[in-house]
Each structure stands twice: as C-alpha cells, then as structure tokens.
Amino acid sequence: MSEPSGNSQNFETNLKKNPESVAEFTDTRRGFVATIQHLLHVNPSLVPLIVLLASMVIFGLLLGTKFFSPFALTLILQQVQIVGIVAAAQSLVILTAGIDLSVGAIMVMSSVVMGQFTFRYGIPVEVAVACGLLCGTMLGFINGWLVAKVKLPPFIVTLGMWQIVLATNFLYSANETIRSQDIETQAPLLQFLGTTIEFGGARLTYGVVFMLLVVFFLAYALKHTAWGRHVYAVGDDPEAAELSGVDVKRTLISVYMLAGLICAFAGWALIGRIGSVSPTSGQLANIESITAVVIGGISLFGGRGSIMGTLFGALIVGVFSLGLRLLGADAQWTYLLIGVLIIAAVGVDQWIRKVSV
C-alpha cells in the first residue's frame, strides 16, 4: 500500500486541528473579470441600468439643469410609454426563445377595432374597448397555437401574422382615421390613457402609470410564480422543461395570449397618445420593441433576462432621443448610437453566457 502524499498528510493534520474546516471551500479561480461576468449573469438588468444612469449623467453635464427638470424627465416617460408596453409583451415571447414580429400590427388592429366598433356600429365605448382587448388576445392565441401545437417557427408565424393583420387592418378600416375632435366629444373613454396627471412641474399620463404597473406586475409574476419559472424553463431548454413536468405547449400559448392582450392595451394607450384612431400609426413598434428588449439585456436565445431591463432599455432610447434633440444634433445620430448599443448589448450577452454557474 502506498504511503499518503504530503498534501494528504497536511489535510489530515489540519482536519485534526480544526474539524469544522472540512466544510470550508475557497474558490481562488475567480478573478476580477470572472467576478464581474458572474455578477452580470446573475443580475442581467444591471448592464442597462448602468448605461441608463451613465447616459443621464453625460447629458446632464452637457445640458445642465434643463435636462434634469421634472418636465424633461417626465417627457421621456411619455415618449416611451407605447414602446415600453409593447416591449413588455415582446419580452415575454423572447424569454421563451421566440420572437413576435406582429406586436405592432396587433396593437394598431386593437385600436382600430375599438374605434370602429364605437363609431361605425354605435356600440357602447366600454364594450368596444373590451372587444379591442379581446381581439388582441385572440390574435396572440393564434400565434401561440401555431407555435406550440403546429410546431411552426415563431419568426415565420409572427412574420405572416404581421402581414395578415396589417392588411386586415387597412381593409377593415378602409384606411379611415377617426379624428381627435370626434373622440373627445363622443367617446372620451378611448383617450383615457392619454389623460394627464400633474405633480408640480412633472406631467404624467395614465398610459405611463399603466406601463409601470405592467412592468412591475410581470417582474413579480416572472420571479415569484410557478408560471414565471415555467416561462424561463421553456426558454432555457423546452425538452428538459417538459421532462420536469412543465406543460410547454400551455405555457407558450399563455405567453402569446398575454402578449396579445398587452399589445391591445398598448393600442388603447396609443389612441390616448396621438388623440385619434389611425390605421397607419405605430409602424415602427416591432423594431422599437425588439430594440428595447435587446438593449435591456434579455437574451435572444431565451431563458435569461429581466423585464426591468426592458424598461431600462426603453428609457435609454428615450434619454438618447431627448438629449440629442436638446443638443440640436441631427436625428440620425440617435439611430447611429442606438445601433451601436444594440450590437454592444448582443456582444455583452454572448460574453455573459460563457460564465459557468
């Protein structure tokens, strides 16, 4: 029998002197960079939060108190309220490793249903709003059913749905815009989420309040409910999730239905934001929502990210847009910088995914 090595003898000696040391482990492999990498992996919303605070400090130094005035800061919230709501819906889908290119079309279609049901058919505005919300939910259900049951790729399904809903939207509305004056006098409830609330020099709308409530509600649901854990599990590995007892198909359908409902609420908020019901509004909502999600640190591969990060991503876009506008810069600079942020965010995500947890 071979004699114990020097390391074994030292271990036995230390164990006799201090028996409790057997439960102590020291990981000396993790350096500073690895520690940062692990921290960002555990807290995916930390990167967009840092970018948001840094951009606010930079624009604050360049613009002074004008940028930090209550009016300017609340104006940012008002500008991003529609994108923030739609991006919350997009976040749910991307967390399941999918993507929804129809969110903007569903938003506009829902607003058109609300307006047309009220003014064309004379339906009570409360019922018309409910029908618009139901319309968005049903369109989301169709997306989810095709993805979960028929096993079609989310990109193809939602790309096709975007085209179908967009065409239906124009055909049904006959490309007719319902004017703000008519809504104000006959159906003010359609503009409810555009109602302004004043706090000193700050001006918010019910649409902003709704955006924040949606984000906080989803953040709680994703972190503290079984449904939220199922969403992450499906996005991380659907086969493993199914083996562990998760109903993957039901989870996917519920995600797309909830995304459709949230987009319908965004359509209601859109009426309040622009004052009218227009079938041509919200054309960039698809791209803007994906931009907010990516900058917000939610992985396009699914299973990782935070809904709070999406809110920070939307606010980053708002800060850049307002800050550059106040500086008198060309609007193209906004697109350039946002493009750089998108590529950087994807690069950071790839780097963070390499961490071993």
Side-chain angles (χ1 to χ4, degrees), residues 275-334:
S276 61
V277 178
S278 173
T280 61
S281 57
Q283 297 293 327
L284 297 177
N286 297 339
I287 301 301
E288 290 174 343
S289 67
I290 297 173
T291 298
V293 171
V294 173
I295 294 177
I298 292 184
S299 175
L300 291 174
F301 298 97
R304 196 183 67 81
S306 166
I307 198 75
M308 292 302 299
T310 295
L311 176 61
F312 297 148
L315 291 174
I316 288 170
V317 176
V319 167
F320 271 78
S321 299
L322 180 63
L324 292 173
R325 190 182 311 161
L326 292 176
L327 288 172
D330 192 297
Q332 301 304 320
W333 281 102
T334 303

Short mmCIF file of all heavy atoms in Angstrom, two decimals, residues 275-334:
data_model
loop_
_atom_site.label_atom_id
_atom_site.label_comp_id
_atom_site.label_asym_id
_atom_site.label_seq_id
_atom_site.Cartn_x
_atom_site.Cartn_y
_atom_site.Cartn_z
N GLY A 275 -54.27 60.85 -29.83
CA GLY A 275 -55.58 61.50 -29.82
C GLY A 275 -56.58 60.96 -30.83
O GLY A 275 -57.77 61.23 -30.73
N SER A 276 -56.13 60.21 -31.82
CA SER A 276 -57.01 59.72 -32.87
C SER A 276 -56.82 58.21 -33.05
O SER A 276 -55.94 57.61 -32.43
CB SER A 276 -56.71 60.44 -34.19
OG SER A 276 -55.37 60.21 -34.59
N VAL A 277 -57.67 57.62 -33.89
CA VAL A 277 -57.54 56.21 -34.25
C VAL A 277 -57.08 56.16 -35.70
O VAL A 277 -57.85 56.44 -36.62
CB VAL A 277 -58.87 55.45 -34.09
CG1 VAL A 277 -58.70 54.01 -34.52
CG2 VAL A 277 -59.35 55.53 -32.64
N SER A 278 -55.82 55.80 -35.90
CA SER A 278 -55.24 55.81 -37.23
C SER A 278 -54.67 54.44 -37.58
O SER A 278 -53.85 53.91 -36.81
CB SER A 278 -54.14 56.87 -37.35
OG SER A 278 -53.47 56.78 -38.58
N PRO A 279 -55.08 53.86 -38.70
CA PRO A 279 -54.54 52.55 -39.11
C PRO A 279 -53.08 52.61 -39.55
O PRO A 279 -52.44 51.57 -39.73
CB PRO A 279 -55.44 52.14 -40.27
CG PRO A 279 -55.96 53.43 -40.82
CD PRO A 279 -56.10 54.35 -39.65
N THR A 280 -52.53 53.80 -39.72
CA THR A 280 -51.14 53.94 -40.16
C THR A 280 -50.18 54.25 -39.01
O THR A 280 -48.99 54.43 -39.24
CB THR A 280 -51.03 55.07 -41.21
OG1 THR A 280 -51.46 56.30 -40.62
CG2 THR A 280 -51.90 54.78 -42.42
N SER A 281 -50.68 54.32 -37.79
CA SER A 281 -49.83 54.65 -36.65
C SER A 281 -49.07 53.41 -36.17
O SER A 281 -49.41 52.27 -36.51
CB SER A 281 -50.67 55.21 -35.51
OG SER A 281 -51.67 54.27 -35.14
N GLY A 282 -48.03 53.65 -35.38
CA GLY A 282 -47.29 52.55 -34.77
C GLY A 282 -46.53 51.67 -35.73
O GLY A 282 -46.35 50.47 -35.47
N GLN A 283 -46.07 52.22 -36.85
CA GLN A 283 -45.42 51.39 -37.87
C GLN A 283 -44.09 50.81 -37.40
O GLN A 283 -43.67 49.76 -37.88
CB GLN A 283 -45.21 52.22 -39.14
CG GLN A 283 -46.49 52.70 -39.80
CD GLN A 283 -47.31 51.55 -40.36
OE1 GLN A 283 -46.77 50.55 -40.81
NE2 GLN A 283 -48.63 51.67 -40.30
N LEU A 284 -43.41 51.50 -36.48
CA LEU A 284 -42.07 51.05 -36.06
C LEU A 284 -42.10 50.32 -34.72
O LEU A 284 -41.04 50.05 -34.14
CB LEU A 284 -41.13 52.25 -35.95
CG LEU A 284 -40.86 53.02 -37.25
CD1 LEU A 284 -39.96 54.23 -36.98
CD2 LEU A 284 -40.21 52.11 -38.29
N ALA A 285 -43.29 50.00 -34.22
CA ALA A 285 -43.39 49.38 -32.90
C ALA A 285 -42.65 48.05 -32.82
O ALA A 285 -42.07 47.72 -31.78
CB ALA A 285 -44.86 49.20 -32.52
N ASN A 286 -42.67 47.26 -33.90
CA ASN A 286 -41.96 45.97 -33.89
C ASN A 286 -40.48 46.15 -33.62
O ASN A 286 -39.90 45.53 -32.71
CB ASN A 286 -42.14 45.25 -35.23
CG ASN A 286 -43.59 44.91 -35.52
OD1 ASN A 286 -44.40 44.84 -34.60
ND2 ASN A 286 -43.91 44.69 -36.77
N ILE A 287 -39.85 47.01 -34.42
CA ILE A 287 -38.41 47.22 -34.30
C ILE A 287 -38.07 47.89 -32.97
O ILE A 287 -37.09 47.52 -32.30
CB ILE A 287 -37.90 48.08 -35.48
CG1 ILE A 287 -38.19 47.38 -36.81
CG2 ILE A 287 -36.40 48.34 -35.33
CD1 ILE A 287 -37.56 46.02 -36.95
N GLU A 288 -38.87 48.87 -32.57
CA GLU A 288 -38.59 49.59 -31.33
C GLU A 288 -38.71 48.68 -30.12
O GLU A 288 -37.93 48.80 -29.16
CB GLU A 288 -39.53 50.79 -31.21
CG GLU A 288 -39.25 51.90 -32.22
CD GLU A 288 -40.28 53.00 -32.17
OE1 GLU A 288 -41.37 52.78 -31.59
OE2 GLU A 288 -40.00 54.10 -32.69
N SER A 289 -39.67 47.77 -30.14
CA SER A 289 -39.83 46.86 -29.00
C SER A 289 -38.66 45.90 -28.91
O SER A 289 -38.14 45.64 -27.81
CB SER A 289 -41.15 46.09 -29.13
OG SER A 289 -41.13 45.19 -30.23
N ILE A 290 -38.22 45.36 -30.04
CA ILE A 290 -37.07 44.46 -30.03
C ILE A 290 -35.82 45.21 -29.59
O ILE A 290 -34.98 44.67 -28.85
CB ILE A 290 -36.87 43.83 -31.42
CG1 ILE A 290 -38.08 42.95 -31.80
CG2 ILE A 290 -35.59 42.99 -31.47
CD1 ILE A 290 -38.05 42.44 -33.22
N THR A 291 -35.68 46.46 -30.02
CA THR A 291 -34.54 47.28 -29.61
C THR A 291 -34.50 47.44 -28.09
O THR A 291 -33.45 47.25 -27.47
CB THR A 291 -34.63 48.68 -30.27
OG1 THR A 291 -34.57 48.54 -31.69
CG2 THR A 291 -33.50 49.57 -29.79
N ALA A 292 -35.64 47.77 -27.49
CA ALA A 292 -35.70 47.94 -26.03
C ALA A 292 -35.36 46.65 -25.31
O ALA A 292 -34.65 46.65 -24.30
CB ALA A 292 -37.08 48.44 -25.62
N VAL A 293 -35.85 45.52 -25.83
CA VAL A 293 -35.61 44.22 -25.20
C VAL A 293 -34.13 43.85 -25.26
O VAL A 293 -33.53 43.42 -24.27
CB VAL A 293 -36.47 43.13 -25.86
CG1 VAL A 293 -36.06 41.75 -25.36
CG2 VAL A 293 -37.95 43.36 -25.58
N VAL A 294 -33.52 44.04 -26.44
CA VAL A 294 -32.11 43.67 -26.61
C VAL A 294 -31.21 44.56 -25.77
O VAL A 294 -30.32 44.08 -25.05
CB VAL A 294 -31.72 43.75 -28.10
CG1 VAL A 294 -30.21 43.54 -28.26
CG2 VAL A 294 -32.46 42.70 -28.91
N ILE A 295 -31.44 45.88 -25.84
CA ILE A 295 -30.64 46.79 -25.02
C ILE A 295 -30.87 46.53 -23.54
O ILE A 295 -29.98 46.70 -22.71
CB ILE A 295 -30.97 48.26 -25.37
CG1 ILE A 295 -30.54 48.57 -26.81
CG2 ILE A 295 -30.28 49.22 -24.41
CD1 ILE A 295 -30.89 49.97 -27.26
N GLY A 296 -32.08 46.06 -23.21
CA GLY A 296 -32.41 45.77 -21.82
C GLY A 296 -31.78 44.51 -21.26
O GLY A 296 -31.98 44.18 -20.09
N GLY A 297 -31.05 43.76 -22.09
CA GLY A 297 -30.28 42.63 -21.57
C GLY A 297 -30.99 41.29 -21.61
O GLY A 297 -30.46 40.30 -21.09
N ILE A 298 -32.19 41.21 -22.20
CA ILE A 298 -32.85 39.91 -22.33
C ILE A 298 -32.21 39.16 -23.50
O ILE A 298 -32.12 39.68 -24.60
CB ILE A 298 -34.36 40.08 -22.54
CG1 ILE A 298 -35.00 40.63 -21.26
CG2 ILE A 298 -35.01 38.75 -22.92
CD1 ILE A 298 -36.50 40.76 -21.33
N SER A 299 -31.80 37.94 -23.21
CA SER A 299 -31.09 37.16 -24.23
C SER A 299 -32.03 36.72 -25.34
O SER A 299 -33.12 36.21 -25.08
CB SER A 299 -30.44 35.93 -23.58
OG SER A 299 -29.85 35.11 -24.55
N LEU A 300 -31.60 36.90 -26.58
CA LEU A 300 -32.37 36.44 -27.73
C LEU A 300 -32.41 34.92 -27.82
O LEU A 300 -33.21 34.36 -28.57
CB LEU A 300 -31.79 37.02 -29.02
CG LEU A 300 -31.95 38.53 -29.21
CD1 LEU A 300 -31.20 38.99 -30.45
CD2 LEU A 300 -33.42 38.91 -29.32
N PHE A 301 -31.57 34.24 -27.04
CA PHE A 301 -31.57 32.78 -27.01
C PHE A 301 -32.58 32.24 -26.01
O PHE A 301 -32.77 31.05 -25.90
CB PHE A 301 -30.17 32.26 -26.67
CG PHE A 301 -29.13 32.65 -27.68
CD1 PHE A 301 -28.32 33.75 -27.47
CD2 PHE A 301 -28.98 31.92 -28.84
CE1 PHE A 301 -27.35 34.11 -28.40
CE2 PHE A 301 -28.01 32.27 -29.78
CZ PHE A 301 -27.21 33.37 -29.56
N GLY A 302 -33.20 33.14 -25.24
CA GLY A 302 -34.25 32.74 -24.32
C GLY A 302 -33.72 32.30 -22.97
O GLY A 302 -32.55 31.98 -22.80
N GLY A 303 -34.62 32.29 -21.98
CA GLY A 303 -34.29 31.73 -20.67
C GLY A 303 -33.50 32.61 -19.74
O GLY A 303 -33.22 32.21 -18.61
N ARG A 304 -33.15 33.82 -20.15
CA ARG A 304 -32.35 34.69 -19.29
C ARG A 304 -32.68 36.14 -19.56
O ARG A 304 -32.79 36.55 -20.73
CB ARG A 304 -30.85 34.47 -19.51
CG ARG A 304 -29.97 35.03 -18.41
CD ARG A 304 -28.50 34.85 -18.74
NE ARG A 304 -28.14 35.66 -19.89
CZ ARG A 304 -27.87 36.97 -19.82
NH1 ARG A 304 -27.93 37.60 -18.67
NH2 ARG A 304 -27.54 37.63 -20.90
N GLY A 305 -32.84 36.90 -18.50
CA GLY A 305 -33.14 38.32 -18.64
C GLY A 305 -34.17 38.78 -17.63
O GLY A 305 -34.77 37.97 -16.91
N SER A 306 -34.38 40.08 -17.57
CA SER A 306 -35.30 40.67 -16.61
C SER A 306 -36.20 41.68 -17.31
O SER A 306 -35.74 42.45 -18.16
CB SER A 306 -34.52 41.36 -15.49
OG SER A 306 -35.35 42.19 -14.72
N ILE A 307 -37.47 41.67 -16.94
CA ILE A 307 -38.42 42.62 -17.51
C ILE A 307 -38.06 44.05 -17.12
O ILE A 307 -38.34 45.00 -17.85
CB ILE A 307 -39.86 42.27 -17.07
CG1 ILE A 307 -40.89 42.95 -17.97
CG2 ILE A 307 -40.09 42.64 -15.63
CD1 ILE A 307 -41.06 42.31 -19.31
N MET A 308 -37.42 44.21 -15.95
CA MET A 308 -36.97 45.55 -15.55
C MET A 308 -35.90 46.05 -16.51
O MET A 308 -35.82 47.26 -16.79
CB MET A 308 -36.41 45.51 -14.12
CG MET A 308 -37.45 45.24 -13.05
SD MET A 308 -38.78 46.46 -13.04
CE MET A 308 -37.86 47.96 -12.70
N GLY A 309 -35.07 45.15 -17.02
CA GLY A 309 -34.07 45.54 -18.01
C GLY A 309 -34.71 46.10 -19.26
O GLY A 309 -34.19 47.04 -19.87
N THR A 310 -35.86 45.53 -19.66
CA THR A 310 -36.58 46.04 -20.82
C THR A 310 -37.03 47.48 -20.59
O THR A 310 -36.93 48.33 -21.49
CB THR A 310 -37.81 45.15 -21.12
OG1 THR A 310 -37.35 43.85 -21.50
CG2 THR A 310 -38.64 45.73 -22.25
N LEU A 311 -37.53 47.76 -19.39
CA LEU A 311 -37.92 49.14 -19.06
C LEU A 311 -36.72 50.07 -19.15
O LEU A 311 -36.81 51.17 -19.72
CB LEU A 311 -38.52 49.19 -17.66
CG LEU A 311 -38.89 50.59 -17.14
CD1 LEU A 311 -39.94 51.26 -18.03
CD2 LEU A 311 -39.38 50.52 -15.69
N PHE A 312 -35.58 49.63 -18.61
CA PHE A 312 -34.37 50.44 -18.70
C PHE A 312 -33.95 50.64 -20.15
O PHE A 312 -33.50 51.73 -20.54
CB PHE A 312 -33.23 49.78 -17.92
CG PHE A 312 -33.48 49.64 -16.45
CD1 PHE A 312 -32.96 48.57 -15.73
CD2 PHE A 312 -34.27 50.56 -15.78
CE1 PHE A 312 -33.20 48.44 -14.37
CE2 PHE A 312 -34.52 50.44 -14.41
CZ PHE A 312 -33.98 49.38 -13.71
N GLY A 313 -34.11 49.59 -20.97
CA GLY A 313 -33.76 49.70 -22.39
C GLY A 313 -34.61 50.73 -23.10
O GLY A 313 -34.11 51.53 -23.91
N ALA A 314 -35.92 50.74 -22.82
CA ALA A 314 -36.81 51.73 -23.42
C ALA A 314 -36.45 53.14 -22.96
O ALA A 314 -36.45 54.09 -23.76
CB ALA A 314 -38.26 51.41 -23.06
N LEU A 315 -36.11 53.27 -21.68
CA LEU A 315 -35.73 54.59 -21.16
C LEU A 315 -34.41 55.07 -21.75
O LEU A 315 -34.23 56.28 -21.97
CB LEU A 315 -35.63 54.53 -19.62
CG LEU A 315 -36.95 54.36 -18.88
CD1 LEU A 315 -36.71 54.17 -17.38
CD2 LEU A 315 -37.86 55.56 -19.12
N ILE A 316 -33.49 54.16 -22.02
CA ILE A 316 -32.22 54.55 -22.66
C ILE A 316 -32.49 55.19 -24.01
O ILE A 316 -31.92 56.23 -24.35
CB ILE A 316 -31.30 53.32 -22.81
CG1 ILE A 316 -30.76 52.90 -21.44
CG2 ILE A 316 -30.14 53.62 -23.76
CD1 ILE A 316 -30.03 51.57 -21.45
N VAL A 317 -33.37 54.55 -24.80
CA VAL A 317 -33.73 55.11 -26.10
C VAL A 317 -34.35 56.49 -25.93
O VAL A 317 -34.03 57.44 -26.66
CB VAL A 317 -34.69 54.18 -26.85
CG1 VAL A 317 -35.14 54.81 -28.16
CG2 VAL A 317 -34.03 52.84 -27.12
N GLY A 318 -35.23 56.64 -24.93
CA GLY A 318 -35.86 57.93 -24.67
C GLY A 318 -34.86 59.00 -24.25
O GLY A 318 -34.94 60.16 -24.68
N VAL A 319 -33.90 58.63 -23.40
CA VAL A 319 -32.88 59.58 -22.94
C VAL A 319 -32.02 60.04 -24.10
O VAL A 319 -31.75 61.25 -24.25
CB VAL A 319 -32.02 58.93 -21.84
CG1 VAL A 319 -30.76 59.77 -21.58
CG2 VAL A 319 -32.82 58.79 -20.56
N PHE A 320 -31.60 59.11 -24.95
CA PHE A 320 -30.77 59.47 -26.10
C PHE A 320 -31.55 60.38 -27.06
O PHE A 320 -31.01 61.36 -27.57
CB PHE A 320 -30.30 58.22 -26.84
CG PHE A 320 -29.00 57.67 -26.32
CD1 PHE A 320 -28.97 56.91 -25.15
CD2 PHE A 320 -27.81 57.89 -26.98
CE1 PHE A 320 -27.79 56.40 -24.67
CE2 PHE A 320 -26.61 57.38 -26.51
CZ PHE A 320 -26.60 56.64 -25.34
N SER A 321 -32.81 60.04 -27.30
CA SER A 321 -33.61 60.83 -28.24
C SER A 321 -33.79 62.25 -27.74
O SER A 321 -33.57 63.22 -28.48
CB SER A 321 -34.98 60.17 -28.44
OG SER A 321 -34.85 58.87 -28.98
N LEU A 322 -34.20 62.41 -26.47
CA LEU A 322 -34.43 63.75 -25.93
C LEU A 322 -33.12 64.51 -25.77
O LEU A 322 -33.04 65.71 -26.10
CB LEU A 322 -35.15 63.65 -24.59
CG LEU A 322 -35.46 64.99 -23.90
CD1 LEU A 322 -36.41 65.83 -24.75
CD2 LEU A 322 -36.03 64.77 -22.51
N GLY A 323 -32.08 63.84 -25.26
CA GLY A 323 -30.81 64.52 -25.03
C GLY A 323 -30.20 65.07 -26.31
O GLY A 323 -29.77 66.23 -26.36
N LEU A 324 -30.19 64.27 -27.36
CA LEU A 324 -29.63 64.72 -28.63
C LEU A 324 -30.49 65.81 -29.26
O LEU A 324 -29.98 66.73 -29.91
CB LEU A 324 -29.49 63.54 -29.59
CG LEU A 324 -28.43 62.50 -29.20
CD1 LEU A 324 -28.49 61.28 -30.12
CD2 LEU A 324 -27.03 63.11 -29.23
N ARG A 325 -31.81 65.71 -29.06
CA ARG A 325 -32.69 66.74 -29.59
C ARG A 325 -32.44 68.08 -28.89
O ARG A 325 -32.39 69.14 -29.53
CB ARG A 325 -34.15 66.33 -29.39
CG ARG A 325 -35.15 67.23 -30.12
CD ARG A 325 -36.57 66.79 -29.83
NE ARG A 325 -36.72 65.35 -30.03
CZ ARG A 325 -37.71 64.64 -29.52
NH1 ARG A 325 -38.62 65.23 -28.75
NH2 ARG A 325 -37.80 63.35 -29.77
N LEU A 326 -32.25 68.05 -27.57
CA LEU A 326 -31.98 69.28 -26.84
C LEU A 326 -30.61 69.86 -27.19
O LEU A 326 -30.40 71.08 -27.12
CB LEU A 326 -32.05 69.03 -25.33
CG LEU A 326 -33.44 68.70 -24.76
CD1 LEU A 326 -33.35 68.37 -23.28
CD2 LEU A 326 -34.40 69.88 -24.98
N LEU A 327 -29.69 68.97 -27.59
CA LEU A 327 -28.36 69.45 -28.02
C LEU A 327 -28.38 69.98 -29.44
O LEU A 327 -27.39 70.55 -29.92
CB LEU A 327 -27.34 68.31 -27.93
CG LEU A 327 -26.90 67.89 -26.52
CD1 LEU A 327 -26.05 66.64 -26.58
CD2 LEU A 327 -26.13 69.03 -25.85
N GLY A 328 -29.49 69.80 -30.14
CA GLY A 328 -29.61 70.28 -31.52
C GLY A 328 -28.94 69.38 -32.53
O GLY A 328 -28.67 69.81 -33.66
N ALA A 329 -28.67 68.13 -32.15
CA ALA A 329 -27.99 67.21 -33.06
C ALA A 329 -28.99 66.66 -34.08
O ALA A 329 -30.20 66.64 -33.86
CB ALA A 329 -27.37 66.06 -32.28
N ASP A 330 -28.44 66.20 -35.20
CA ASP A 330 -29.27 65.59 -36.23
C ASP A 330 -29.90 64.31 -35.69
O ASP A 330 -29.29 63.56 -34.93
CB ASP A 330 -28.40 65.25 -37.45
CG ASP A 330 -29.24 64.88 -38.67
OD1 ASP A 330 -29.95 63.86 -38.60
OD2 ASP A 330 -29.17 65.60 -39.68
N ALA A 331 -31.15 64.06 -36.08
CA ALA A 331 -31.87 62.89 -35.58
C ALA A 331 -31.18 61.58 -35.95
O ALA A 331 -31.34 60.56 -35.26
CB ALA A 331 -33.30 62.89 -36.12
N GLN A 332 -30.38 61.59 -37.02
CA GLN A 332 -29.71 60.35 -37.44
C GLN A 332 -28.68 59.88 -36.42
O GLN A 332 -28.36 58.68 -36.37
CB GLN A 332 -29.02 60.56 -38.80
CG GLN A 332 -29.98 60.96 -39.93
CD GLN A 332 -31.11 59.96 -40.10
OE1 GLN A 332 -30.90 58.76 -40.01
NE2 GLN A 332 -32.31 60.46 -40.34
N TRP A 333 -28.17 60.81 -35.60
CA TRP A 333 -27.23 60.42 -34.56
C TRP A 333 -27.89 59.48 -33.56
O TRP A 333 -27.24 58.60 -32.99
CB TRP A 333 -26.66 61.65 -33.85
CG TRP A 333 -25.57 62.32 -34.63
CD1 TRP A 333 -25.67 63.45 -35.38
CD2 TRP A 333 -24.21 61.88 -34.75
NE1 TRP A 333 -24.46 63.75 -35.97
CE2 TRP A 333 -23.54 62.80 -35.59
CE3 TRP A 333 -23.50 60.79 -34.24
CZ2 TRP A 333 -22.20 62.66 -35.91
CZ3 TRP A 333 -22.15 60.66 -34.56
CH2 TRP A 333 -21.52 61.59 -35.39
N THR A 334 -29.18 59.69 -33.32
CA THR A 334 -29.90 58.81 -32.40
C THR A 334 -29.89 57.39 -32.92
O THR A 334 -29.59 56.44 -32.18
CB THR A 334 -31.35 59.30 -32.22
OG1 THR A 334 -31.35 60.65 -31.75
CG2 THR A 334 -32.10 58.41 -31.24
#
